[in-house]
Amino acid sequence: MNLLLDSFEFGLHTQIHYGVGMLEKLPDVIKKYNYTKVLICTDGGIVRSGGLDRLEKILTKADITYTVFAEVQPDPTLEIVEHVKQIYLTNECEAIIGIGGGSSIDTAKGASAAVANSGNLAQFEGKNKLPNRGPDVIAIPTTAGTGSEITHATVLKDTTRQYKMGILSEHLHPKAAILDPQLLTTLPKHVVAITGMDALSHAIESYTSNQAQPITEALGLYAIRLIGKSLRPFVARRMDLEAASQMMLASTIAGAAFIWGRVAAVHALSHPLGGRYRIAHGLANSILLPVVMEYNVSTNLEKFREIAIALGENVEGLSVRDAADRAVFAVKKLVSDLEIPPTLSQINVKLSSEELDVVSQEAFDSGIALANPKDVSAADLRFILERVL
Ligand SMILES: [Fe+2]
C-alpha cells in the first residue's frame, strides 16, 4: 500500500489475558465484569479430557454460578446456536464462556448474536449486517489455530444449503480471551498440525492480501515467524510448553492480523469444501495454501521472500524471484513434515466436474476471495481446485 495515498483502520476489542495457568484467573475476569451467572459452551472433547471438570472446580471455588452446554459439534450449525440461545435465556445467564476449539467459540459467538437479534441468523451473513450486540463472550481457546478468540467472525453451517457461512461484525469480538498454553498440551498430534496450518493460512493470507496494511503486515509476519519456529516441535511433542506458548500466541496474533487484513482464496475455497464434504477447516487450508501461494507469488515477490525468511529458509544469494518461490517450497515442506496429505484424493474426497463448478462458484460468491492479491474469477478458483485433486 502507499502510505501517502491510502488510508486504513485498525482496532482490537478483546482484552487478552495470557499466561501459563491463566485459566485459574477466570473468576477474576468474570467478577471484573459483574456477571452473576454464566453459560459454559463447550464440546465432548473438553469433557473427556477433564477440562470441563477443572473449569467447574475453578468456578465453584469462586462461588460463580454457571450452566453447562457441552454438546458443541464440529462445524456448528444454526440449529445448535438456536438451542444454545434457548439455554442461555431459560437459565437467565449474563455472559457466555466459549471453551474449546473454534467450533465452541464460534457457537458461543453465534448464540450471543442470536440472543440480541431475532430471526434466522443466515440473514446476517457477510460483513457488518448484525444490528445488535449480544451478551459478552469470554473465549478460552484449547487449540492454536482459528483465532476466533479475538476475531469479529463466526462461521456457522446452514444445513439446508450444506453451506458454511461467515457472519462478520464488530459485535462479535469476544469481550475477553483467556490464553493458557497449558490447555494445548493434551491435544492429539493431527489436531495440532492442521489447526497450526489454519493459523499459518491466516497469517500468510492477511500478510499478502490486497487489504494488508502496516499493522496487519507486522502482526502477520511475526505470526509466520513464530509458526515457522514452533509448529514442528509442538506437533512432535505437545508437552513442549515453550512451543505451545508460541503457537498459542501465533494463533491469536494471526487472528488479529486477519480481522483487518482479511483472508483470501484459501479460505474462500476451504469453506465450501468443509460445508459440502466435511473436510476439517485446517486440513482443507493445509491442502490449498501452497497452491494458492504458487498462484499469487508473482504479485509481490518481496513479500513472499519475507515469508520464506520467516519460515527459516536460507535465501542468501538467490534472486528475489527464487527467494519468493522458496516460500511456497517451505510451506510444502511443512505440510509434508507434519504428515498432512497434500491432495483431496489422498483424503478420499473426489470431486466430479460438476462439483468443481459448484464449489468454485460458491467460493467466488462468498466474496472472501475479493481480498486475494491476484484477482480471481470462479474459473480461476476452479483452476486452483484442480491442482489439489
Ligand atoms: Fe481459518
Side-chain angles (χ1 to χ4, degrees), residues 71-84:
E71 286 151 54
V72 169
Q73 303 294 324
D75 297 333
T77 61
L78 292 171
E79 291 80 16
I80 288 268
V81 162
E82 188 58 30
H83 182 57
V84 177

Side-chain angles (χ1 to χ4, degrees), residues 213-226:
Q213 36 110 326
I215 299 175
T216 63
E217 286 174 0
L219 294 167
L221 193 59
Y222 188 68
I224 296 168
R225 201 176 298 148
L226 284 175

Side-chain angles (χ1 to χ4, degrees), residues 74-75 155 157 162-164 267-282 284-285 288 344 359 362:
D75 297 333
V155 178
K157 188 166 171 177
Q162 289 300 302
Y163 178 70
K164 273 171 92 168
H267 278 75
L269 284 164
S270 70
H271 286 175
L273 287 175
R276 292 183 172 275
Y277 307 100
R278 298 181 175 217
I279 306 172
H281 179 63
N285 287 349
L288 288 160
L344 295 176
V359 169
E362 209 171 84

Side-chain angles (χ1 to χ4, degrees), residues 145-147 155 197-199 201-202 205 258 263 267 270-271 281-282 285:
T146 69
V155 178
M197 287 302 296
D198 185 25
S201 306
H202 299 152
E205 290 219 276
F258 91 80
V263 284
H267 278 75
S270 70
H271 286 175
H281 179 63
N285 287 349

